[in-house]
Amino acid sequence: MKQRTPRKFSLNCILFLCLSFFVLGALFSHRLWNTATSNISPVSKLQSEQAIGSDDCDKKKPADNDVMGEVLKTHEAIESLDKTVAMLQMKLAVSRRNQEMKNLDDTGDVSTLDPAHNDSQRAKVFMVIGINTAFSSRKRRDSIRETWMPQGNKLVQLEREKGIVIRFMIGHRQKFLELEVGMDYEVIANVEVCATSNSILDRAIDSEDAEHKDFLRLEHVEGYHELSAKTKTYFSTAVTRWDAEFYVKVDDDVHVNLGNLAATLGRHRYKTGVYIGCMKSGPVLSKKYVKYREPEYWKFGEVGNKYFRHATGQIYAISKDLADYIAINQPILHKYANEDVSLGSWFIGLEVEHVNDRSMCCRTPTNYTLFKTKDCERKAQEGNTCVASFDWSCSGICKSVERMQQVHLKCGEGDAVVWSALI
């Protein structure tokens, strides 16, 4: 039987077969992997991705915190620098104004800042108290002179020894220019109200000042609706007359304990931008014919909104730098209907410390038990005399001419306290 010889394969055929099996194996393996991964639940995939993501966040978190910390530090540094620059600008303006005043004094020229007192240097004192008064308030002034305000030589001594200046501040009577018959309408329409010192009322104030020497005359036209302008003029005039650490405004129907006031301000004497008083935030009144109506109520948002925090107008004190700020910027400071609101608005945007001192707004003695614990008599009996006392219902002491002496006897600190006050 004839044997079959083995069949030989060529080298090319072997290489082709190997390559074919490799390709088939690769395709088969890839298909199995896709099938296996498609069977994994979406939840498992999400958990796996979150685990990977959390690991990345943990690695990035310390770095992000460091960056945010640096950003905050930079922001705080910029704010601090802005405050410093603002304070330096204010001090530079004050120094420039003081130098101009000094130059005018040295040359003997008339100072536009203080024409009545250009011949003397500013006296350095602790505080200046301006008592807001009117032409018709002679009896109120006398009630203060007879109680908490020293008179004569004692008033001068108080200025020299304690650096406490007290003055009734008042402007001039308004005068209308006389209108001639046949005057052109446009000329009549442009007639302005001006201040004059020749009226009967002005001469009465001059006579009273000659007797007591306790007035500060302002270049201002008196009027109830001009209190905001009067406040600006008072501070501007006071800083040209006296170099004080504090400037105080008080109404002529408020009782004040001078020693306690001096001690209170003394606790803040090394600060800047201090605004001290009984802080409040009353409603913005928009209805016509109501007392304290705000014609510009729309500037404060929706009807029924409240004012920003400000000191009540019966009495407040501001530090030297704030008084200088008012004097420098007087022409551009806006005046609202209410004087205390105007003052508070001038400090918005400034680095000002609002000191809410409730001893500056104690109630006067009352027979009502409900208010007895809060009135100035009870506090005086407890050894905590008030800085100032008045009645909220009257925006001052009700019937102050008749009751000022009574309030002084029951709530006064004693005449000797102011002389021993540590300031």
Side-chain angles (χ1 to χ4, degrees):
M1 186 173 180
K2 191 175 180 179
Q3 286 185 341
R4 183 180 295 176
T5 58
R7 197 171 187 177
K8 294 182 179 180
F9 294 94
S10 65
L11 181 60
N12 291 335
C13 184
I14 294 173
L15 291 175
F16 175 77
L17 290 174
C18 290
L19 183 60
S20 300
F21 282 118
F22 175 77
V23 172
L24 290 173
L27 292 174
F28 183 73
S29 300
H30 181 67
R31 184 176 180 183
L32 289 177
W33 172 256
N34 287 340
T35 303
T37 54
S38 64
N39 291 331
I40 299 176
S41 65
V43 176
S44 300
K45 286 184 178 180
L46 181 61
Q47 291 175 346
S48 177
E49 292 173 357
Q50 288 178 342
I52 295 172
S54 64
D55 290 341
D56 293 339
C57 288
D58 291 339
K59 293 177 182 178
K60 294 179 181 179
K61 196 170 184 179
D64 292 342
N65 289 338
D66 291 342
V67 172
M68 289 302 298
E70 292 299 323
V71 170
L72 290 175
K73 288 180 181 179
T74 303
H75 181 68
E76 292 173 356
I78 293 174
E79 283 189 340
S80 177
L81 184 61
D82 287 341
K83 295 175 185 177
T84 303
V85 170
M87 292 301 298
L88 289 175
Q89 288 176 338
M90 184 183 298
K91 291 180 179 179
L92 179 61
V94 172
S95 298
R96 187 178 300 158
R97 181 177 59 86
N98 292 340
Q99 185 62 41
E100 290 175 355
M101 291 175 57
K102 183 177 182 301
N103 293 339
L104 289 170
D105 291 341
D106 293 341
T107 59
D109 294 335
V110 177
S111 170
T112 57
L113 293 171
D114 191 13
H117 296 273
N118 62 340
D119 57 346
S120 62
Q121 296 288 339
R122 288 197 306 162
K124 190 170 183 61
V125 297
F126 175 65
M127 68 174 170
V128 175
I129 303 174
I131 306 174
N132 184 34
T133 191
F135 289 105
S136 59
S137 299
R138 173 65 191 260
K139 291 184 178 180
R140 285 189 178 185
R141 292 190 290 274
D142 287 339
S143 70
I144 290 178
R145 292 182 180 117
E146 294 167 0
T147 53
W148 60 267
M149 180 180 177
Q151 287 297 291
N153 292 333
K154 286 188 176 181
L155 185 64
V156 177
Q157 184 182 1
L158 188 66
E159 295 180 17
R160 291 177 178 174
E161 296 184 8
K162 305 301 292 186
I164 299 176
V165 177
I166 310 174
R167 294 288 188 275
F168 290 104
M169 57 166 173
I170 193 168
H172 297 281
R173 183 68 174 174
Q174 66 183 19
K175 176 185 177 182
F176 292 93
L177 298 179
E178 295 182 1
L179 304 181
E180 298 180 1
V181 177
M183 230 176 170
D184 187 80
Y185 176 78
E186 292 185 358
V187 176
I188 297 175
N190 291 325
V191 169
E192 295 181 354
V193 177
C194 60
T196 176
S197 58
N198 297 321
S199 69
I200 296 175
L201 294 176
D202 281 288
R203 291 197 295 270
I205 293 295
D206 291 339
S207 176
E208 187 179 344
D209 188 29
E211 178 184 356
H212 297 282
K213 295 180 174 58
D214 55 5
F215 276 92
L216 174 63
R217 299 305 298 270
L218 306 176
E219 289 300 319
H220 167 76
V221 177
E222 286 292 328
Y224 179 78
H225 296 292
E226 297 297 327
L227 290 178
S228 295
K230 186 175 184 179
T231 299
K232 286 199 297 184
T233 305
Y234 159 60
F235 286 120
S236 300
T237 304
V239 297
T240 62
R241 290 279 304 272
W242 298 280
D243 181 12
E245 296 184 45
F246 292 96
Y247 296 85
V248 182
K249 178 262 175 181
V250 59
D251 289 339
D252 61 3
D253 55 357
V254 173
H255 181 269
V256 178
N257 283 317
L258 293 175
N260 204 344
L261 174 60
T264 298
L265 298 184
R267 291 192 289 269
H268 303 280
R269 71 182 309 171
Y270 299 112
K271 299 178 181 179
T272 58
V274 181
Y275 175 32
I276 308 173
C278 284
M279 299 296 163
K280 66 174 185 177
S281 179
V284 181
L285 302 178
S286 58
K287 293 183 178 180
K288 290 184 178 181
Y289 311 117
V290 298
K291 193 176 182 180
Y292 306 126
R293 178 180 182 265
E294 179 56 70
E296 297 180 278
Y297 62 89
W298 59 273
K299 290 185 177 181
F300 298 89
E302 300 299 327
V303 175
N305 281 358
K306 291 186 176 182
Y307 287 113
F308 40 79
R309 287 286 173 184
H310 61 277
T312 185
Q314 285 82 357
I315 180 173
Y316 50 75
I318 60 176
S319 55
K320 174 182 177 179
D321 53 336
L322 295 183
D324 284 327
Y325 173 81
I326 294 173
I328 294 169
N329 297 282
Q330 179 182 4
I332 60 173
L333 294 177
H334 185 70
K335 297 175 294 183
Y336 288 102
N338 299 298
E339 164 253 340
D340 51 359
V341 173
S342 294
L343 183 76
S345 71
W346 300 337
F347 300 148
I348 292 179
L350 302 181
E351 287 300 320
V352 174
E353 178 183 356
H354 291 62
V355 179
N356 184 21
D357 193 328
R358 307 312 292 181
S359 71
M360 297 179 73
C361 53
C362 294
R363 289 188 175 93
T364 62
T366 178
N367 294 324
Y368 294 100
T369 306
L370 178 63
F371 301 132
K372 196 70 176 174
T373 58
K374 296 183 179 180
D375 69 29
C376 58
E377 181 182 11
R378 175 62 62 88
K379 291 182 180 294
Q381 292 171 352
E382 295 172 349
N384 299 317
T385 54
C386 295
V387 172
S389 303
F390 58 87
D391 301 305
W392 286 101
S393 58
C394 298
S395 298
I397 296 176
C398 297
K399 299 180 179 179
S400 64
V401 174
E402 294 83 4
R403 296 182 61 231
M404 185 66 75
Q405 188 68 245
Q406 174 200 16
V407 174
H408 185 63
L409 291 174
K410 293 185 177 183
C411 304
E413 63 190 356
D415 296 339
V417 174
V418 65
W419 301 101
S420 59
L422 299 176
I423 53 179

